[in-house]
Amino acid sequence: MNMKLSIIIVNYNVTQLLRNCLLSIQKYVKEVEYEIMVIDNASTDRSWQDLIPEFPEVHFISSEINGGFSKANNEAIQAAKGEYLLLLNPDTELEGFYMKDLLDFSDAQQAFGCLGIRMHDAEGNFLPESKRSVPDMFNSFEKLFTSFKKNNSKSYYRNDIAETAVAEVEVITGAFLLVKREVYEKVGGLDEAYFMYGEDIDLCYTLLNKGYRNYYYGKASLLHHKGESTVKDDVYLNRFYGAMQIFIDKYYKESKPMQYSFLKAGLKLRHKIEKIKLK
């Protein structure tokens, strides 16, 4: 049988969450020929190594340096054999036997780009970044400035699409991103200019620009312990807003100068506001 799926997980200091993630894959991925590749991004907590004897079928790769999320994924993918790649966060848990359905669905689409599923947090709250639009002047303004309370911007987070719907969308999240390896390689994979954040938006946008179609599959759900592995500090803010800056530099600077200067100013202002909040 040909290897159908390679599941790629980048770990950084979340051993217990990673263990739960691996157990959920073991439990739910059936009827599919698959492999799991875990790349550890130079964690300071070395306890992930305890998982090696516990999960003998998993390929563990140890990275000497933490070069960021994109770089680690690309490194692991070089060794992957699957027809499809599933980029999966270590702080997620699969919740059902849907993997074969997702692959069958993806196989049936013409010009299939990538696919994401419905995510919720540990309290059961739906995570709106499961389905999004490409950032532009209008929805970014709305997200940056009108949504302090719930960050629930209508046009950026596709609230017009039901949570359990199956629909074409522009952007899904890198926490669970299914893509054909051949297509991933053809479009250049994740851009390593991003350290963390923004690379999923960039990949989805690149796929759209190359004529592929991206899908949200709301019939399947995923638990995402959101932010458990992220410390909200200056470093986080610099990376997050830095990622958005890379995106607009890449796509808007030349082609949409007016949008570019507007977004640049907006990002700067929101970054300042967030920094003040930290103090």
Side-chain angles (χ1 to χ4, degrees), residues 1-58:
M1 248 175 111
N2 287 343
M3 182 73 70
K4 187 73 177 173
L5 177 67
S6 296
I7 301 173
I8 313 290
I9 303 170
V10 178
N11 177 61
Y12 183 70
N13 288 342
V14 285
T15 302
Q16 195 47 54
L17 290 168
L18 173 61
R19 174 185 277 117
N20 294 340
C21 177
L22 293 172
L23 288 169
S24 76
I25 295 169
Q26 276 186 344
K27 180 176 176 183
Y28 289 118
V29 183
K30 305 289 181 200
E31 302 176 60
V32 174
E33 188 73 16
Y34 74 96
E35 62 179 356
I36 304 172
M37 317 193 73
V38 171
I39 178 161
D40 180 75
N41 234 354
S43 289
T44 48
D45 166 13
R46 308 302 284 168
S47 65
W48 66 271
Q49 294 174 344
D50 300 343
L51 302 179
I52 297 172
E54 196 180 327
F55 297 94
E57 73 291 352
V58 173

Side-chain angles (χ1 to χ4, degrees), residues 1 24 41-42 50 55 77 111 120 196 199 206 237 243 250 255:
M1 248 175 111
S24 76
N41 234 354
D50 300 343
F55 297 94
I77 285 163
H120 62 85
M196 196 175 165
E199 66 290 304
T206 302
L237 288 179
K250 188 169 164 182
S255 62

